[in-house]
């Protein structure tokens, strides 16, 4: 902040002067005491027991005993000066926590995709099983000319290139679309197979 | 795991050292020995100072980290994290606990986004500084208590850090700018209050003088100094837009 920037313009000073002339507010006690202290010295400035108590409480807080709201500000000022370093142990803990959190986030995405795949696989298998069991008009197996082969429920692993690692970010929607499309196709195939029209 | 950086032949924006920024574009995993690197040091310089060993090592670490090597990323974070804490986070967030939380968030963000980092010849620190400043800004926006820095200050700092990163400003200059930023904010705040109060704060809080010593400099008794310091901090809090002094004891 340059001194030129912080200096009010003559217009601002005039506005402040007009406002001050119209204002009926009183000077705050602390401000007044500060002015008195400047003029007369701090030892003659007036302070009551309540203020002394608060000052003592702040003193204790600054020395690490107890809390005081102003101690937080004092700490912020100390931090702004700089020069403080993080100790190695605390830093290592922060690094480990961050890596764990990042790993957990990765795992959450992967788990979500797998869960959806498993659920869809289960639905497809259940649908296939239902069709297989409850088909009143289906001809007896012995009457079929060819043996019906159903596509069994299976893992989604085969749908993706095992050699290629899944990207860390993005592509979830397209992977889920792919799983859904393949499952849908297989379910239809099984249904047609059970009807003997495949 | 052995690895090698392969040159892509691209010419990226050159930093102050004149290094090509896109030389580390591709990463291959396999059994290639380090000695078989296809790019020589000379390839990484374009008429400027030669790449130092430290920069070369860091560039290789960055390439490995971008290829998914978490150990390499860990090395980068262990090297630069304490500096982010000291120069970027702690001065702006004002408490060790808050700065450590922000550092953890910075690391998570770095792990997530490291693939977007582009080597600019001046090292990875300016990029990490942008990430840390952004996190500090997020944290500051969530805070309710009054601190020295406002979100607007950090927005300005973030703009500056992004510019520095684009221009390839080196690490030492980044530190100098962060220090100057914090110092001028602090001096600006202290200039707003009574000079004697500012002196009390400087002596006891910033210079960490004992109460007795500070009282001696101000020529008051020690109990009176306690009251002066209390008034000084209360006045500063008020100037920073904090709670009115009457509620200070109870807040």
């Amino acid at each position: 902040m340059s001194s030129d920037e912080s200096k009010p313009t003559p217009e601002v000073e005039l506005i402040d002067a007009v406002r001050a002339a119209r204002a009926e507010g009183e000077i705050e006690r602390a401000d007044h005491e500060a002015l008195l202290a400047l003029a007369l010295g701090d030892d003659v400035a007036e302070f009551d027991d309540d203020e002394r108590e608060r000052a003592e409480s702040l003193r204790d807080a600054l020395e690490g005993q107890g809390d005081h709201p102003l101690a937080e500000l004092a700490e912020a000022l100390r931090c702004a000066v700089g020069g403080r370093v993080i100790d190695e142990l605390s830093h290592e803990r922060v690094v480990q926590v961050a890596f764990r959190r990042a790993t957990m986030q990765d795992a959450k995405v992967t788990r979500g995709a797998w869960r959806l795949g498993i659920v869809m696989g289960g639905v497809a298998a259940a649908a296939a099983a239902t069709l297989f069991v409850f088909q009143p008009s289906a001809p007896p197996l012995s009457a079929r000319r060819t043996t019906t082969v159903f596509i069994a429920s299976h893992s989604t692993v085969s749908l993706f290139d095992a050699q290629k690692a899944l990207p860390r970010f993005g592509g979830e929607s397209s992977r889920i679309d792919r799983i859904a499309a393949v499952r849908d196709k297989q379910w239809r195939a099984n249904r047609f197979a059970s009807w003997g029209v495949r | 795991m052995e690895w090698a950086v392969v040159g892509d032949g691209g010419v990226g924006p050159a930093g102050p050292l004149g290094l090509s920024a896109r030389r580390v574009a591709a990463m291959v995993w396999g059994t290639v020995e380090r000695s078989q690197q296809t790019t020589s040091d000379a390839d990484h310089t374009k008429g400027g100072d030669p790449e130092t060993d430290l920069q070369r090592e860091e560039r290789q670490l960055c390439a490995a980290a971008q290829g998914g090597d978490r150990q390499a990323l860990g090395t980068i974070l262990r090297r630069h994290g304490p500096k982010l804490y000291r120069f970027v986070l702690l001065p702006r967030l004002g408490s060790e606990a808050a700065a450590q939380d922000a550092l953890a968030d910075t690391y998570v963000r770095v792990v997530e986004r490291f693939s977007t980092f582009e080597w600019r010849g001046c090292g990875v620190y300016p990029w990490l500084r942008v990430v840390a400043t952004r996190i500090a800004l997020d944290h500051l926006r969530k805070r309710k208590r009054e601190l020295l820095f406002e979100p607007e200050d950090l927005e300005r700092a973030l703009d500056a850090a992004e510019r520095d990163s684009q221009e390839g400003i080196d690490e030492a200059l980044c530190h100098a700018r962060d220090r100057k930023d914090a110092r001028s904010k602090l001096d600006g705040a202290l200039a707003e209050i009574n000079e004697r109060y500012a002196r009390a704060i400087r002596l006891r809080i910033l210079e960490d003088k004992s109460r007795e010593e500070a009282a001696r400099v101000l020529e008051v008794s020690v109990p009176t100094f306690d009251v002066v310091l209390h008034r000084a901090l209360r006045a500063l809090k008020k100037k920073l837009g904090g709670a009115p002094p009457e509620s200070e004891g109870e807040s």
Side-chain angles (χ1 to χ4, degrees), chain A residues 2-195:
Chain A
S2 75
S3 57
D4 287 346
E5 284 170 2
S6 61
K7 197 176 173 185
T9 61
E11 290 81 6
V12 172
E13 283 178 336
L14 180 63
I15 291 168
D16 286 346
V18 171
R19 277 189 185 144
R22 290 188 51 155
E24 292 177 356
E26 291 176 3
I27 185 167
E28 283 203 27
R29 185 170 162 270
D31 291 339
H32 188 231
E33 290 300 329
L35 292 176
L36 284 177
L38 265 183
L40 306 171
D42 294 298
D43 278 324
V44 298
E46 190 184 320
F47 48 84
D48 54 24
D49 289 345
D50 185 41
E51 188 172 12
R52 190 194 301 272
E53 248 172 56
R54 287 180 181 186
E56 282 169 3
S57 161
L58 173 64
R59 177 199 65 201
D60 293 343
L62 292 176
E63 287 171 357
Q65 296 159 0
D67 294 322
H68 190 285
L70 292 174
E72 210 172 42
L73 176 60
E75 173 69 4
L77 298 178
R78 279 183 180 138
C79 291
V81 180
R84 261 197 253 179
V85 294
I86 186 168
D87 67 275
E88 209 174 310
L89 206 64
S90 300
H91 184 244
E92 192 53 38
R93 198 177 56 236
V94 174
V95 172
Q96 296 305 330
V97 166
F99 274 124
R100 257 202 312 276
R101 275 167 59 187
T103 308
M104 277 161 63
Q105 280 175 9
D106 283 354
K108 215 188 259 179
V109 172
T110 313
R111 266 203 312 273
W114 274 103
R115 272 186 197 147
L116 189 68
I118 290 166
V119 168
M120 294 191 72
V123 169
T130 308
L131 283 170
F132 183 74
V133 174
F134 302 104
Q135 44 179 334
S137 59
L141 286 174
S142 57
R144 294 186 189 180
R145 277 184 286 183
T146 55
T147 309
T148 306
V149 180
F150 289 106
I151 302 166
S153 166
H154 61 87
S155 145
T156 57
V157 170
S158 61
L159 304 182
F160 303 100
D161 185 357
Q163 300 299 314
K164 206 170 147 189
L166 292 178
R168 193 177 301 156
F169 303 106
E172 292 90 341
S173 298
S174 64
R175 287 199 293 276
I176 288 167
D177 285 348
R178 177 158 167 70
I179 293 168
V182 170
R183 292 298 187 210
D184 193 33
K185 191 175 168 190
Q186 290 176 350
W187 181 78
R188 276 201 310 274
N190 280 345
R191 197 166 194 201
F192 288 135
S194 71
W195 290 342

Side-chain angles (χ1 to χ4, degrees), chain A residues 69, chain B residues 237 243 247-251:
Chain B
K237 187 172 183 178
S247 64
E248 160 251 307
E250 293 78 35
S251 61

Side-chain angles (χ1 to χ4, degrees), chain B residues 13-17 21 84 87-88 92 117-131 133-134 153-181:
Chain B
L17 298 176
L84 295 174
F87 294 109
V88 179
R92 279 144 181 164
F117 166 68
E118 197 174 288
W119 181 263
R120 287 188 184 277
C122 56
V124 68
Y125 182 80
W127 184 82
L128 294 172
R129 178 174 169 243
V130 172
V131 177
T133 309
R134 203 180 288 278
D153 298 319
L154 256 72
E155 279 165 11
R156 277 194 295 275
L158 181 59
D159 286 344
E162 281 173 348
R163 257 196 324 272
D164 289 349
S165 176
Q166 292 293 317
E167 290 167 7
I169 298 296
D170 75 1
E171 198 182 312
L173 196 52
C174 290
H175 295 334
R177 286 185 176 178
D178 285 331
R179 260 198 299 253
K180 189 180 166 204
D181 188 32

